Coordinates of all heavy atoms in Angstrom, one line a residue:
M1 N 4.2 6.7 -9.0 CA 4.1 7.3 -7.7 C 2.6 7.6 -7.4 O 1.9 8.3 -8.0 CB 4.8 8.7 -7.7 CG 6.3 8.5 -7.9 SD 7.3 10.0 -7.6 CE 6.9 10.9 -9.1
S2 N 2.1 6.8 -6.4 CA 0.7 7.0 -6.0 C 0.5 6.3 -4.6 O 1.4 5.7 -4.0 CB -0.1 6.3 -7.1 OG 0.1 4.8 -7.0
V3 N -0.7 6.5 -4.2 CA -1.2 5.8 -3.0 C -2.6 5.3 -3.2 O -3.3 5.8 -4.0 CB -1.2 6.8 -1.7 CG1 0.1 7.2 -1.3 CG2 -2.2 7.8 -1.8
T4 N -2.8 4.2 -2.5 CA -4.1 3.6 -2.5 C -4.6 3.5 -1.0 O -3.9 3.3 -0.1 CB -4.1 2.1 -3.0 OG1 -3.5 2.1 -4.3 CG2 -5.5 1.5 -3.0
I5 N -5.9 4.0 -0.8 CA -6.5 4.1 0.5 C -7.7 3.2 0.5 O -8.6 3.3 -0.4 CB -6.8 5.5 0.9 CG1 -5.6 6.4 0.8 CG2 -7.5 5.5 2.3 CD1 -5.9 7.9 1.0
C6 N -7.8 2.3 1.5 CA -9.0 1.6 1.7 C -9.4 1.4 3.2 O -8.5 1.5 4.0 CB -8.9 0.2 1.0 SG -7.5 -0.8 1.6
G7 N -10.7 1.2 3.5 CA -11.1 1.1 4.8 C -10.9 -0.4 5.2 O -11.4 -1.3 4.6
E8 N -10.1 -0.7 6.3 CA -9.9 -2.0 6.8 C -11.2 -2.5 7.6 O -11.6 -3.6 7.4 CB -8.7 -2.1 7.7 CG -7.4 -2.0 6.9 CD -7.1 -3.3 6.1 OE1 -6.8 -4.2 6.7 OE2 -7.2 -3.1 4.9
D9 N -11.6 -1.7 8.4 CA -12.9 -1.9 9.2 C -13.2 -0.5 9.8 O -12.7 0.5 9.3 CB -12.7 -2.9 10.3 CG -11.5 -2.6 11.2 OD1 -11.2 -1.4 11.5 OD2 -10.8 -3.5 11.7
R10 N -14.2 -0.4 10.6 CA -14.6 0.9 11.2 C -13.5 1.6 12.0 O -13.7 2.8 12.4 CB -15.8 0.7 12.0 CG -17.1 0.3 11.2 CD -18.3 0.2 12.1 NE -19.1 1.4 12.3 CZ -19.8 2.0 11.3 NH1 -19.7 1.5 10.1 NH2 -20.5 3.0 11.5
T11 N -12.4 1.0 12.3 CA -11.4 1.6 13.1 C -10.1 1.9 12.4 O -9.3 2.7 12.9 CB -11.1 0.7 14.3 OG1 -10.5 -0.6 13.7 CG2 -12.3 0.3 15.1
R12 N -9.9 1.4 11.2 CA -8.6 1.6 10.5 C -8.8 1.9 9.0 O -9.6 1.4 8.3 CB -7.7 0.4 10.6 CG -7.3 0.1 12.1 CD -6.5 -1.2 12.1 NE -7.4 -2.2 11.7 CZ -7.0 -3.4 11.1 NH1 -5.7 -3.5 10.8 NH2 -7.8 -4.3 10.7
L13 N -7.9 2.7 8.5 CA -7.7 3.0 7.1 C -6.3 2.5 6.7 O -5.3 2.8 7.4 CB -7.8 4.5 6.7 CG -9.2 5.1 7.0 CD1 -9.1 6.6 6.9 CD2 -10.2 4.6 5.9
K14 N -6.2 1.8 5.6 CA -5.0 1.3 5.2 C -4.5 2.1 4.0 O -5.2 2.3 3.0 CB -5.1 -0.2 4.7 CG -3.8 -0.8 4.4 CD -3.9 -2.3 4.2 CE -2.5 -2.9 4.1 NZ -2.5 -4.4 4.1
I15 N -3.3 2.6 4.1 CA -2.6 3.4 3.1 C -1.4 2.6 2.5 O -0.6 2.1 3.3 CB -2.0 4.8 3.6 CG1 -2.9 5.5 4.6 CG2 -1.6 5.7 2.5 CD1 -4.3 5.7 4.4
M16 N -1.4 2.5 1.2 CA -0.4 1.7 0.5 C 0.2 2.5 -0.7 O -0.5 3.2 -1.3 CB -1.0 0.4 -0.1 CG -1.6 -0.5 1.0 SD -2.6 -1.8 0.4 CE -4.0 -0.9 -0.1
G17 N 1.5 2.4 -0.9 CA 2.1 3.1 -2.0 C 3.3 3.9 -1.5 O 4.1 3.4 -0.8
D18 N 3.3 5.2 -1.9 CA 4.4 6.1 -1.5 C 4.4 6.2 0.0 O 5.5 6.3 0.6 CB 4.2 7.5 -2.1 CG 4.5 7.6 -3.5 OD1 5.1 6.6 -4.1 OD2 4.0 8.5 -4.2
V19 N 3.3 6.1 0.7 CA 3.2 6.2 2.1 C 2.6 4.8 2.5 O 1.5 4.4 1.9 CB 2.3 7.3 2.6 CG1 2.0 7.3 4.0 CG2 2.8 8.6 2.2
E20 N 3.2 4.2 3.4 CA 2.6 2.8 3.9 C 2.3 3.0 5.4 O 3.1 3.3 6.2 CB 3.7 1.8 3.8 CG 4.1 1.4 2.4 CD 3.1 0.4 1.8 OE1 2.5 -0.3 2.5 OE2 3.2 0.4 0.5
A21 N 1.0 2.9 5.7 CA 0.5 3.1 7.1 C -0.9 2.5 7.3 O -1.6 2.3 6.3 CB 0.5 4.5 7.4
E22 N -1.2 2.2 8.5 CA -2.6 2.0 8.9 C -2.9 3.1 9.9 O -2.3 3.2 11.0 CB -2.7 0.6 9.6 CG -2.7 -0.5 8.6 CD -3.1 -1.8 9.2 OE1 -3.5 -1.9 10.4 OE2 -3.0 -2.9 8.5
L23 N -3.9 3.9 9.6 CA -4.3 5.1 10.3 C -5.5 4.7 11.1 O -6.5 4.2 10.5 CB -4.4 6.3 9.5 CG -3.1 6.7 8.7 CD1 -3.4 8.0 7.9 CD2 -2.0 7.0 9.8
L24 N -5.6 5.1 12.3 CA -6.8 5.0 13.1 C -8.0 5.9 12.7 O -7.7 7.1 12.5 CB -6.5 5.1 14.6 CG -5.6 4.0 15.2 CD1 -5.3 4.3 16.7 CD2 -6.2 2.6 15.0
V25 N -9.2 5.4 12.6 CA -10.3 6.3 12.4 C -10.7 6.8 13.8 O -10.8 6.0 14.7 CB -11.5 5.5 11.8 CG1 -12.7 6.4 11.7 CG2 -11.1 5.0 10.4
P26 N -10.8 8.1 14.0 CA -11.0 8.7 15.3 C -12.3 8.1 15.9 O -13.3 8.0 15.2 CB -11.1 10.2 15.1 CG -10.4 10.4 13.8 CD -10.6 9.2 13.0
E27 N -12.2 7.7 17.2 CA -13.4 7.0 17.8 C -14.6 8.0 17.9 O -15.7 7.5 17.8 CB -13.0 6.6 19.2 CG -12.0 5.5 19.2 CD -11.7 4.9 20.6 OE1 -12.6 5.2 21.5 OE2 -10.7 4.4 20.8
D28 N -14.4 9.2 18.0 CA -15.6 10.2 18.1 C -16.0 10.7 16.8 O -16.8 11.7 16.7 CB -15.2 11.4 19.0 CG -14.0 12.2 18.4 OD1 -13.4 11.7 17.6 OD2 -13.9 13.3 19.0
S29 N -15.7 9.9 15.7 CA -16.1 10.4 14.4 C -17.4 10.1 13.9 O -17.8 10.5 12.8 CB -15.0 9.9 13.4 OG -15.1 8.5 13.3
D30 N -18.2 9.3 14.6 CA -19.5 8.9 14.2 C -19.6 8.2 12.8 O -20.5 8.5 12.1 CB -20.5 10.1 14.3 CG -21.9 9.7 14.2 OD1 -22.3 8.6 14.6 OD2 -22.7 10.5 13.6
G31 N -18.5 7.5 12.5 CA -18.5 6.8 11.2 C -18.0 7.7 10.0 O -18.0 7.2 8.9
R32 N -17.6 8.9 10.3 CA -17.2 9.8 9.2 C -15.9 10.5 9.7 O -15.7 10.7 10.9 CB -18.2 10.9 9.0 CG -19.5 10.5 8.4 CD -20.4 11.7 8.1 NE -20.4 12.7 9.2 CZ -20.1 13.9 9.0 NH1 -19.7 14.4 7.8 NH2 -20.2 14.8 10.0
C33 N -15.0 10.7 8.7 CA -13.8 11.4 9.0 C -13.2 12.0 7.7 O -13.7 11.7 6.6 CB -12.7 10.5 9.6 SG -12.2 9.1 8.5
W34 N -12.3 13.0 7.9 CA -11.7 13.6 6.8 C -10.3 13.1 6.6 O -9.5 12.9 7.6 CB -11.5 15.2 7.0 CG -12.8 15.8 7.0 CD1 -13.5 16.3 8.2 CD2 -13.6 16.2 5.9 NE1 -14.7 16.9 7.7 CE2 -14.7 16.9 6.4 CE3 -13.5 16.1 4.5 CZ2 -15.7 17.4 5.5 CZ3 -14.5 16.5 3.7 CH2 -15.6 17.2 4.2
I35 N -9.9 12.9 5.3 CA -8.5 12.4 5.0 C -7.9 13.6 4.2 O -8.5 14.0 3.1 CB -8.5 11.1 4.2 CG1 -9.3 10.1 4.9 CG2 -7.1 10.8 3.8 CD1 -9.6 8.8 4.0
S36 N -6.8 14.1 4.6 CA -6.1 15.2 3.9 C -4.8 14.6 3.4 O -4.1 13.8 4.1 CB -5.9 16.4 4.7 OG -5.2 16.2 5.8
V37 N -4.4 15.0 2.2 CA -3.2 14.4 1.6 C -2.3 15.6 1.2 O -2.8 16.7 0.8 CB -3.6 13.6 0.3 CG1 -2.4 12.9 -0.3 CG2 -4.6 12.5 0.7
S38 N -1.0 15.4 1.1 CA 0.0 16.4 0.9 C -0.2 17.2 -0.4 O 0.2 18.3 -0.6 CB 1.4 15.9 1.0 OG 1.6 14.9 0.0
D39 N -0.9 16.6 -1.4 CA -1.1 17.3 -2.7 C -2.2 18.2 -2.7 O -2.5 18.9 -3.6 CB -1.3 16.2 -3.8 CG -2.7 15.7 -3.9 OD1 -3.2 15.5 -2.7 OD2 -3.2 15.5 -4.9
G40 N -2.9 18.3 -1.6 CA -4.1 19.2 -1.5 C -5.4 18.6 -1.5 O -6.5 19.2 -1.4
T41 N -5.5 17.3 -1.8 CA -6.7 16.5 -1.9 C -7.3 16.4 -0.5 O -6.7 16.1 0.5 CB -6.5 15.2 -2.5 OG1 -5.9 15.4 -3.8 CG2 -7.8 14.4 -2.7
L42 N -8.6 16.6 -0.4 CA -9.4 16.4 0.8 C -10.5 15.4 0.5 O -11.3 15.6 -0.4 CB -10.0 17.8 1.3 CG -10.8 17.7 2.6 CD1 -9.9 17.3 3.8 CD2 -11.4 19.1 2.9
I43 N -10.6 14.4 1.3 CA -11.5 13.3 1.1 C -12.4 13.1 2.3 O -11.9 13.1 3.4 CB -10.8 12.0 0.8 CG1 -9.8 12.2 -0.4 CG2 -11.7 10.8 0.5 CD1 -8.6 11.5 -0.4
E44 N -13.7 12.9 2.1 CA -14.5 12.5 3.2 C -14.7 11.0 3.2 O -15.1 10.4 2.1 CB -15.9 13.1 3.1 CG -16.8 12.8 4.2 CD -18.2 13.5 4.2 OE1 -18.4 14.2 3.2 OE2 -19.0 13.3 5.1
A45 N -14.4 10.3 4.2 CA -14.7 8.9 4.4 C -15.9 8.6 5.3 O -16.0 9.3 6.4 CB -13.4 8.2 5.0
A46 N -16.7 7.8 4.9 CA -17.9 7.5 5.8 C -18.2 6.0 5.8 O -18.1 5.4 4.7 CB -19.2 8.2 5.2
Y47 N -18.5 5.5 6.9 CA -18.8 4.1 7.1 C -20.3 3.9 7.1 O -21.0 4.6 7.9 CB -18.2 3.4 8.3 CG -16.7 3.3 8.2 CD1 -15.8 4.2 8.5 CD2 -16.2 2.1 7.6 CE1 -14.4 4.0 8.4 CE2 -14.9 1.8 7.4 CZ -14.0 2.8 7.8 OH -12.7 2.6 7.7
G48 N -20.9 3.1 6.3 CA -22.3 2.9 6.3 C -22.7 1.6 7.1 O -22.1 1.3 8.1
D49 N -23.6 0.9 6.6 CA -24.1 -0.4 7.2 C -22.8 -1.3 7.2 O -22.1 -1.5 6.3 CB -25.2 -1.0 6.4 CG -26.4 -0.2 6.4 OD1 -26.6 0.6 7.3 OD2 -27.3 -0.3 5.4
G50 N -22.7 -2.0 8.4 CA -21.6 -2.9 8.5 C -20.3 -2.1 8.6 O -20.2 -1.0 9.2
D51 N -19.3 -2.7 7.9 CA -18.0 -2.0 7.8 C -17.8 -1.4 6.4 O -16.6 -1.2 6.1 CB -16.9 -3.0 8.2 CG -16.9 -3.3 9.7 OD1 -17.4 -2.5 10.5 OD2 -16.5 -4.4 10.0
A52 N -18.8 -1.2 5.6 CA -18.6 -0.6 4.3 C -18.1 0.8 4.4 O -18.7 1.7 5.0 CB -19.9 -0.7 3.5
C53 N -17.0 1.1 3.7 CA -16.4 2.4 3.7 C -16.6 3.0 2.4 O -16.3 2.4 1.3 CB -14.9 2.3 4.0 SG -14.0 3.9 4.1
R54 N -17.0 4.2 2.3 CA -17.2 5.0 1.1 C -16.4 6.3 1.1 O -16.3 6.9 2.2 CB -18.7 5.4 1.0 CG -19.6 4.3 0.9 CD -19.7 3.8 -0.5 NE -20.7 2.7 -0.7 CZ -20.5 1.5 -0.7 NH1 -19.3 1.0 -0.6 NH2 -21.5 0.6 -0.8
F55 N -15.9 6.7 0.0 CA -15.1 7.9 -0.1 C -15.8 8.9 -1.0 O -16.4 8.5 -2.0 CB -13.7 7.6 -0.7 CG -12.9 6.7 0.1 CD1 -12.5 5.5 -0.3 CD2 -12.4 7.1 1.4 CE1 -11.7 4.6 0.5 CE2 -11.7 6.3 2.2 CZ -11.3 5.1 1.8
K56 N -15.6 10.2 -0.7 CA -16.1 11.3 -1.6 C -15.0 12.3 -1.6 O -14.6 12.8 -0.6 CB -17.4 11.8 -1.0 CG -17.9 13.0 -1.8 CD -19.2 13.4 -1.1 CE -19.6 14.8 -1.6 NZ -20.6 15.4 -0.8
V57 N -14.6 12.7 -2.8 CA -13.6 13.8 -2.9 C -14.2 15.1 -2.7 O -15.2 15.5 -3.4 CB -12.9 13.8 -4.3 CG1 -11.9 14.9 -4.4 CG2 -12.2 12.4 -4.5
S58 N -13.8 15.8 -1.6 CA -14.4 17.1 -1.3 C -13.6 18.3 -2.0 O -14.2 19.2 -2.5 CB -14.4 17.3 0.2 OG -15.0 18.6 0.5
E59 N -12.3 18.1 -2.1 CA -11.5 19.2 -2.7 C -10.4 18.4 -3.6 O -9.7 17.5 -3.1 CB -10.7 20.0 -1.8 CG -11.6 21.0 -1.0 CD -12.2 22.0 -1.8 OE1 -11.6 22.5 -2.8 OE2 -13.3 22.5 -1.5
E60 N -10.4 18.7 -4.9 CA -9.3 18.1 -5.8 C -8.0 18.8 -5.5 O -7.9 20.0 -5.3 CB -9.7 18.4 -7.2 CG -10.9 17.6 -7.7 CD -10.6 16.2 -8.0 OE1 -9.5 15.8 -8.1 OE2 -11.6 15.5 -8.2
G61 N -7.0 18.0 -5.4 CA -5.6 18.5 -5.2 C -4.9 18.4 -6.6 O -5.6 18.3 -7.6
A62 N -3.6 18.3 -6.5 CA -2.8 18.2 -7.8 C -2.9 16.9 -8.5 O -2.7 16.8 -9.7 CB -1.3 18.6 -7.5
G63 N -3.1 15.8 -7.7 CA -3.1 14.5 -8.2 C -4.4 14.1 -8.9 O -5.4 14.8 -8.9
I64 N -4.4 13.0 -9.6 CA -5.6 12.4 -10.2 C -6.2 11.4 -9.3 O -5.5 10.4 -8.9 CB -5.3 11.7 -11.6 CG1 -4.7 12.8 -12.5 CG2 -6.4 11.1 -12.2 CD1 -4.1 12.2 -13.8
T65 N -7.4 11.6 -8.9 CA -8.1 10.7 -7.9 C -9.1 9.8 -8.6 O -9.9 10.3 -9.4 CB -8.8 11.6 -6.8 OG1 -7.8 12.5 -6.3 CG2 -9.3 10.8 -5.7
R66 N -9.1 8.6 -8.3 CA -10.0 7.6 -8.8 C -10.6 6.8 -7.6 O -9.8 6.4 -6.8 CB -9.5 6.7 -9.8 CG -9.1 7.4 -11.1 CD -8.4 6.5 -12.1 NE -7.0 6.3 -11.5 CZ -6.1 5.5 -12.0 NH1 -6.4 4.7 -13.0 NH2 -4.9 5.5 -11.6
I67 N -11.9 6.6 -7.6 CA -12.6 5.8 -6.6 C -13.2 4.6 -7.3 O -14.0 4.9 -8.2 CB -13.6 6.6 -5.8 CG1 -12.9 7.8 -5.1 CG2 -14.4 5.7 -4.8 CD1 -13.9 8.8 -4.4
Q68 N -12.9 3.4 -6.9 CA -13.5 2.3 -7.4 C -14.1 1.4 -6.3 O -13.7 1.4 -5.2 CB -12.4 1.4 -8.1 CG -11.8 2.1 -9.3 CD -10.7 1.3 -10.0 OE1 -9.9 0.7 -9.3 NE2 -10.7 1.3 -11.3
R69 N -15.2 0.7 -6.7 CA -15.8 -0.2 -5.7 C -15.2 -1.5 -5.8 O -14.8 -2.1 -6.7 CB -17.3 -0.4 -6.2 CG -18.2 -1.1 -5.3 CD -18.6 -0.4 -4.0 NE -19.0 0.9 -4.1 CZ -20.3 1.3 -4.2 NH1 -21.3 0.5 -4.2 NH2 -20.6 2.6 -4.3
D70 N -14.9 -2.1 -4.5 CA -14.3 -3.4 -4.3 C -15.2 -4.1 -3.3 O -15.0 -4.0 -2.1 CB -12.9 -3.3 -3.8 CG -12.2 -4.6 -3.7 OD1 -12.7 -5.6 -4.2 OD2 -11.2 -4.7 -2.9
G71 N -16.2 -4.9 -3.8 CA -17.1 -5.5 -3.0 C -18.1 -4.5 -2.4 O -18.6 -3.6 -3.0
A72 N -18.1 -4.4 -1.0 CA -18.9 -3.4 -0.3 C -18.1 -2.1 -0.1 O -18.8 -1.1 0.3 CB -19.4 -4.0 1.0
N73 N -16.9 -2.1 -0.3 CA -16.0 -0.9 0.1 C -15.6 -0.2 -1.2 O -15.5 -0.7 -2.3 CB -14.7 -1.4 0.8 CG -15.0 -1.9 2.2 OD1 -15.7 -1.2 2.9 ND2 -14.6 -3.1 2.5
D74 N -15.2 1.1 -1.0 CA -14.6 1.9 -2.0 C -13.1 1.8 -1.8 O -12.6 1.6 -0.7 CB -15.0 3.4 -1.9 CG -16.3 3.7 -2.3 OD1 -17.0 2.8 -3.0 OD2 -16.8 4.8 -2.1
V75 N -12.3 1.9 -2.9 CA -10.9 2.0 -2.8 C -10.5 3.2 -3.6 O -10.9 3.4 -4.7 CB -10.2 0.7 -3.5 CG1 -8.7 0.9 -3.6 CG2 -10.6 -0.5 -2.8
L76 N -9.7 4.1 -2.9 CA -9.3 5.3 -3.5 C -7.8 5.3 -4.0 O -7.0 4.8 -3.2 CB -9.5 6.4 -2.5 CG -9.2 7.9 -3.0 CD1 -10.2 8.8 -2.5 CD2 -7.8 8.3 -2.6
R77 N -7.6 5.7 -5.2 CA -6.2 5.7 -5.7 C -6.0 7.1 -6.1 O -6.7 7.8 -6.8 CB -6.1 4.8 -7.0 CG -4.7 4.8 -7.5 CD -4.5 3.9 -8.7 NE -3.2 4.1 -9.3 CZ -2.2 3.3 -9.2 NH1 -2.4 2.1 -8.5 NH2 -1.1 3.5 -9.8
L78 N -4.8 7.6 -5.6 CA -4.4 9.0 -5.9 C -3.0 8.9 -6.6 O -2.0 8.5 -6.0 CB -4.3 9.8 -4.6 CG -3.8 11.2 -4.7 CD1 -4.8 12.1 -5.5 CD2 -3.6 11.8 -3.3
D79 N -3.1 9.3 -7.9 CA -1.8 9.3 -8.7 C -1.1 10.6 -8.6 O -1.5 11.5 -9.3 CB -2.2 8.9 -10.1 CG -2.7 7.5 -10.3 OD1 -2.2 6.6 -9.6 OD2 -3.6 7.2 -11.1
W80 N -0.1 10.7 -7.8 CA 0.7 11.8 -7.5 C 1.7 11.5 -6.5 O 1.5 10.5 -5.7 CB -0.1 13.0 -7.1 CG 0.6 14.3 -7.1 CD1 1.1 15.0 -6.0 CD2 0.7 15.1 -8.2 NE1 1.7 16.2 -6.5 CE2 1.5 16.3 -7.8 CE3 0.4 15.0 -9.6 CZ2 1.8 17.3 -8.7 CZ3 0.8 16.0 -10.5 CH2 1.5 17.2 -10.0
R81 N 2.8 12.2 -6.4 CA 3.8 12.0 -5.3 C 3.2 12.4 -4.0 O 2.8 13.6 -3.8 CB 5.1 12.7 -5.6 CG 6.1 12.7 -4.5 CD 6.7 11.3 -4.5 NE 7.8 11.3 -3.4 CZ 7.9 10.4 -2.5 NH1 7.1 9.3 -2.6 NH2 8.8 10.4 -1.6
V82 N 3.0 11.5 -3.1 CA 2.4 11.8 -1.8 C 3.5 11.7 -0.7 O 4.2 10.8 -0.6 CB 1.2 10.8 -1.5 CG1 0.7 11.0 -0.1 CG2 0.1 10.9 -2.5
E83 N 3.5 12.8 0.1 CA 4.5 12.9 1.2 C 3.9 12.6 2.5 O 4.6 12.1 3.4 CB 5.1 14.3 1.2 CG 5.9 14.6 -0.1 CD 6.5 15.9 -0.1 OE1 6.4 16.6 0.9 OE2 7.0 16.4 -1.2
W84 N 2.6 12.8 2.7 CA 1.9 12.6 4.0 C 0.4 12.4 3.8 O -0.1 13.0 2.8 CB 2.3 13.6 5.0 CG 2.0 15.0 4.7 CD1 2.9 15.9 4.2 CD2 0.7 15.7 4.7 NE1 2.2 17.1 4.0 CE2 0.9 17.0 4.2 CE3 -0.6 15.3 5.1 CZ2 -0.1 18.0 4.2 CZ3 -1.6 16.3 5.0 CH2 -1.3 17.6 4.5
V85 N -0.2 11.7 4.7 CA -1.6 11.6 4.8 C -2.0 11.8 6.2 O -1.4 11.3 7.1 CB -2.1 10.1 4.3 CG1 -3.5 10.0 4.4 CG2 -1.6 9.9 2.8
A86 N -3.1 12.5 6.5 CA -3.6 12.7 7.9 C -5.1 12.5 7.9 O -5.9 12.7 6.9 CB -3.3 14.2 8.3
V87 N -5.6 12.0 9.1 CA -7.0 11.7 9.3 C -7.5 12.5 10.5 O -6.8 12.7 11.5 CB -7.2 10.2 9.6 CG1 -8.7 10.0 9.9 CG2 -6.7 9.4 8.4
A88 N -8.7 13.2 10.3 CA -9.2 14.0 11.4 C -10.8 13.6 11.5 O -11.4 13.3 10.6 CB -9.1 15.5 11.1
P89 N -11.3 13.7 12.7 CA -12.7 13.5 12.9 C -13.5 14.5 12.1 O -13.1 15.6 12.0 CB -13.0 13.6 14.4 CG -11.6 13.7 15.0 CD -10.6 14.0 14.0
A90 N -14.7 14.1 11.6 CA -15.5 15.0 10.9 C -15.9 16.2 11.6 O -15.9 17.3 11.1 CB -16.8 14.2 10.4
G91 N -16.1 16.2 12.9 CA -16.5 17.3 13.7 C -15.3 18.1 14.2 O -15.5 19.1 14.9
N92 N -14.1 17.7 13.8 CA -12.9 18.4 14.4 C -12.1 18.9 13.2 O -10.9 19.0 13.3 CB -12.1 17.4 15.2 CG -11.2 18.2 16.2 OD1 -11.4 19.3 16.5 ND2 -10.2 17.5 16.6
A93 N -12.8 19.4 12.2 CA -12.1 20.0 11.0 C -12.8 21.3 10.6 O -14.0 21.3 10.8 CB -12.0 19.0 9.9
A94 N -12.1 22.2 10.0 CA -12.7 23.4 9.5 C -12.3 23.7 8.1 O -11.2 23.4 7.8 CB -12.4 24.6 10.5
R95 N -13.2 24.4 7.4 CA -12.8 24.7 6.0 C -13.3 26.2 5.8 O -14.3 26.6 6.3 CB -13.6 23.8 5.0 CG -13.2 22.4 5.0 CD -14.0 21.5 4.1 NE -13.9 22.1 2.8 CZ -14.6 21.6 1.8 NH1 -15.5 20.7 1.9 NH2 -14.5 22.1 0.5
A96 N -12.6 26.9 4.9 CA -12.9 28.2 4.6 C -14.1 28.2 3.7 O -14.4 27.4 2.9 CB -11.7 28.9 3.8
G97 N -15.0 29.3 3.9 CA -16.2 29.4 3.0 C -15.8 29.8 1.7 O -14.7 30.4 1.5
R98 N -16.6 29.6 0.7 CA -16.4 30.0 -0.7 C -16.7 31.4 -0.9 O -16.2 32.0 -2.0 CB -17.1 29.1 -1.6 CG -16.8 27.6 -1.5 CD -16.6 27.0 -2.8 NE -16.3 25.6 -2.6 CZ -15.2 25.1 -3.1 NH1 -14.3 25.8 -3.5 NH2 -14.9 23.8 -3.0
G99 N -17.4 32.1 -0.1 CA -17.7 33.5 -0.3 C -18.9 33.7 -1.3 O -19.4 32.8 -1.9
E100 N -19.2 34.9 -1.5 CA -20.4 35.3 -2.4 C -19.9 35.4 -3.8 O -18.8 35.9 -4.1 CB -20.9 36.6 -2.0 CG -21.5 36.6 -0.6 CD -22.8 35.8 -0.6 OE1 -23.6 35.9 -1.5 OE2 -23.0 35.1 0.4
P101 N -20.6 35.0 -4.8 CA -20.3 35.2 -6.2 C -20.2 36.6 -6.6 O -21.0 37.4 -6.0 CB -21.3 34.4 -7.0 CG -22.5 34.3 -6.1 CD -21.9 34.3 -4.7
L102 N -19.4 37.0 -7.5 CA -19.4 38.4 -8.0 C -20.6 38.7 -8.8 O -21.2 37.9 -9.4 CB -18.2 38.6 -8.9 CG -16.8 38.4 -8.2 CD1 -15.7 38.5 -9.3 CD2 -16.6 39.5 -7.2
P103 N -21.1 40.0 -8.6 CA -22.4 40.4 -9.3 C -22.1 40.5 -10.8 O -21.0 40.8 -11.3 CB -22.7 41.7 -8.7 CG -21.4 42.3 -8.2 CD -20.6 41.0 -7.8
E104 N -23.2 40.3 -11.6 CA -23.1 40.5 -13.1 C -23.3 42.0 -13.3 O -24.2 42.6 -12.7 CB -24.1 39.7 -13.7 CG -23.8 38.2 -13.7 CD -24.8 37.4 -14.5 OE1 -25.4 37.9 -15.5 OE2 -25.1 36.2 -14.2
L105 N -22.5 42.5 -14.2 CA -22.7 44.0 -14.5 C -23.6 44.1 -15.7 O -23.3 43.5 -16.8 CB -21.3 44.6 -14.8 CG -20.4 44.6 -13.5 CD1 -19.0 45.1 -14.0 CD2 -21.0 45.3 -12.4
P106 N -24.7 44.9 -15.7 CA -25.5 44.9 -16.8 C -24.8 45.6 -18.0 O -24.1 46.5 -17.9 CB -26.7 45.9 -16.3 CG -26.3 46.4 -15.0 CD -25.1 45.7 -14.5
G107 N -25.1 45.0 -19.2 CA -24.6 45.5 -20.5 C -23.1 45.1 -20.7 O -22.6 45.4 -21.7
L108 N -22.5 44.4 -19.8 CA -21.1 44.0 -20.0 C -21.0 42.9 -21.1 O -20.1 42.9 -21.9 CB -20.5 43.5 -18.7 CG -19.0 43.2 -18.7 CD1 -18.2 44.5 -19.1 CD2 -18.5 42.7 -17.4
F109 N -22.0 42.0 -21.1 CA -21.9 40.9 -22.1 C -23.2 41.0 -22.9 O -24.4 41.1 -22.4 CB -22.0 39.5 -21.4 CG -20.8 39.3 -20.6 CD1 -20.8 39.4 -19.2 CD2 -19.6 39.0 -21.2 CE1 -19.7 39.1 -18.4 CE2 -18.4 38.7 -20.4 CZ -18.5 38.8 -19.0
A110 N -23.0 41.2 -24.2 CA -24.2 41.4 -25.1 C -24.6 40.2 -25.8 O -23.9 39.3 -26.0 CB -23.9 42.5 -26.1

């Protein structure tokens, strides 16, 4: 049970495996978009020179994520049961802040 995601060109992402689809890269995305997966994984996809697609895992979900190079493109494999995949433009997504780290208490750790 897994999915493989690869960039077809600057306009489409191909999803294969538990979910089979070709999803459109939003036109107003400036070559970047977010891919969210039902297991909680959040991935940034970015197109560089030409039609080369690169992936970067922003948030790990429950599955095991591997990114491999295939020529000029990255191919992402997510090993987990996937129920859905969604794509959003980079400028049309929001994430919660991580907040401030807790202060260290003097003398607590010797």
